[in-house]
Amino acid sequence: MKLSPSLALTLPLTLLSSGAVAADLSVKFELPQLNVAEYHKPYVAMWIEKADGGIASTLAVLYDIKKKDNAGEKWVKDMRTWWRKAGREAKLPIDGVSGATRAAGSHTLSFGPARHGIDKLPAGDYKLVVEAAREAGGRELVRVPFTLPAKGKVAANASGKEELGAVSLQIQ
């Protein structure tokens, strides 16, 4: 039986024999509307960071994917932290990870366990990291700590100051 992508995102929490956990992870993030002369939608990268600072899984890379001759890829390196940890080796666009930039406002992205490697993560402490960089603007990084395996529902949040507003995650 083949599951549709939307159905696959709603699979229940399952403890695996390896100690890893499969869970739905949902990230809600706000991109503030800034009162500036030249506003550009920010590029955003989201990933799960291990306790040692290494990258466990890239969840999303949102950039201008429709620019002629892949010109939007040129500015992805402005998300410096993600770029240094994982972007240099990435071949863009990344299937199931790359997506279009988002306008100012509140946005929610959902990540199924198998598609992004969440089901392979061993028990331990992690951080959801969201990085935003805007042309003719600034760059900001927000880290939201969480622990796996999730015991029931997990909710955590943090907030940015300029390029990002509230960032929250839910694991269920």
Side-chain angles (χ1 to χ4, degrees), residues 6 11 78 90 137 140 153 159:
S6 60
L11 296 173
D78 285 351
E140 188 167 24
K153 292 183 179 181
S159 189

Side-chain angles (χ1 to χ4, degrees), residues 24-46:
D24 291 332
L25 182 127
S26 178
V27 178
K28 184 175 181 178
F29 63 103
E30 292 178 1
L31 299 173
Q33 177 66 54
L34 303 173
N35 189 15
V36 294
E38 186 178 345
Y39 180 81
H40 298 272
K41 294 177 188 175
Y43 282 19
V44 176
M46 288 181 197

Side-chain angles (χ1 to χ4, degrees), residues 115-164:
R115 188 168 186 173
H116 295 280
I118 298 167
D119 62 339
K120 307 240 184 322
L121 295 177
D125 294 327
Y126 295 92
K127 291 179 184 142
L128 166 73
V129 185
V130 180
E131 181 175 19
R134 193 171 45 83
E135 181 183 349
R139 184 182 74 83
E140 188 167 24
L141 199 72
V142 172
R143 285 185 167 88
V144 182
F146 65 99
T147 301
L148 291 177
K151 295 176 181 156
K153 292 183 179 181
V154 173
N157 57 59
S159 189
K161 293 182 174 76
E162 292 182 24
E163 297 298 328
L164 288 164

